[in-house]
Amino acid sequence: MSEPPRHTRPILAADLERLIEGSVAGEPSARLELAHATAAALVSVGRDAAGDPTDRFVRLADTVGLDTLADLWRGAPADSLPGALWALYLLQTWCTENGTEVARLYRTGRSLAPVDEVVAGVRDDADPDAIAAVADSVLSGLYDGDLGVALERGAAFFRVVAAGRLFLAAEGPDGDAERDRSGRNRACAEGLTRAAAAWRAGTLR
């Protein structure tokens, strides 16, 4: 499937400098605008094979740092581009740092969400290495594949994990924390699903 045309105004270095100054000054609207600007630029530059690697925009992203960008994206709406990038960043970090636990939840949930399990595309063994490989593959899909597919794979992964977490949660109050986490996992999935639909409609920003 071909990607929808992008209609957003090009982001200029001067715009970013102004936004960063506003963000540092603590202006909430500037922080949100910067979250959208940095997310759009990182995706567009990453997907442009002809892009100049010394482009000032890329250097700015390197200077700001991924952790800082993630902090900006964290507060964005779940179905926006920065919100979706935050969810995928969270997924990749989680799978890398807690692969054994994620694999346990995923293996439990796969039979409870068979369609999502197919979409997520984890190897049959679903061991920590397979879990980390899928997280890396989803992130790489932002740049060298259909971004809508990458977002849908991330959503499917979160749904399988949510199902596994809910199934394993203890009964009564002892399981409340896990049920809450399961709800948050499902909320991430719903945001990514809406973001994928918006990308294909050409309205994701």
Side-chain angles (χ1 to χ4, degrees):
M1 179 182 294
S2 61
E3 294 177 4
R6 303 271 78 91
H7 300 296
T8 54
R9 177 180 65 83
I11 302 166
L12 304 177
D15 295 333
L16 292 173
E17 291 172 358
R18 173 179 57 79
L19 290 170
I20 289 173
E21 289 175 359
S23 175
V24 171
E27 300 173 15
S29 62
R31 285 183 61 84
L32 182 58
E33 191 177 352
L34 180 58
H36 284 280
T38 52
L42 288 181
V43 169
S44 64
V45 171
R47 297 176 71 83
D48 182 5
D52 180 359
T54 63
D55 184 273
R56 186 175 185 184
F57 195 72
V58 177
R59 295 201 310 270
L60 175 61
D62 290 339
T63 299
V64 171
L66 184 57
D67 288 341
T68 299
L69 293 176
D71 185 58
L72 286 170
W73 300 337
R74 187 199 313 262
D79 54 0
S80 67
L81 181 57
L85 291 183
W86 161 247
L88 295 184
Y89 170 79
L90 181 67
L91 175 64
Q92 198 273 342
T93 302
W94 185 34
C95 290
T96 299
E97 297 182 355
N98 299 282
T100 299
E101 173 65 6
V102 178
R104 182 179 74 92
L105 296 171
Y106 188 92
R107 285 195 298 268
T108 301
R110 66 194 316 178
S111 64
L112 303 172
V115 174
D116 288 309
E117 194 265 331
V118 171
V119 173
V122 178
R123 291 197 319 255
D124 287 345
D125 51 359
D127 62 7
D129 288 341
I131 293 295
V134 165
D136 290 341
S137 176
V138 168
L139 279 182
S140 68
L142 296 175
Y143 305 111
D144 58 12
D146 184 326
L147 191 145
V149 170
L151 297 174
E152 287 170 346
R153 288 186 70 195
F157 190 97
F158 272 117
R159 277 192 287 268
V160 173
V161 169
R165 196 187 285 280
L166 185 61
F167 182 84
L168 292 172
E171 295 184 4
D174 289 344
D176 286 348
E178 280 298 277
R179 282 187 285 273
D180 181 65
R181 293 187 185 100
S182 175
R184 293 203 300 271
N185 291 157
R186 185 164 291 278
C188 282
E190 292 170 354
L192 287 170
T193 298
R194 293 195 302 271
W199 170 260
R200 293 201 166 103
T203 58
L204 182 64
R205 67 170 299 276

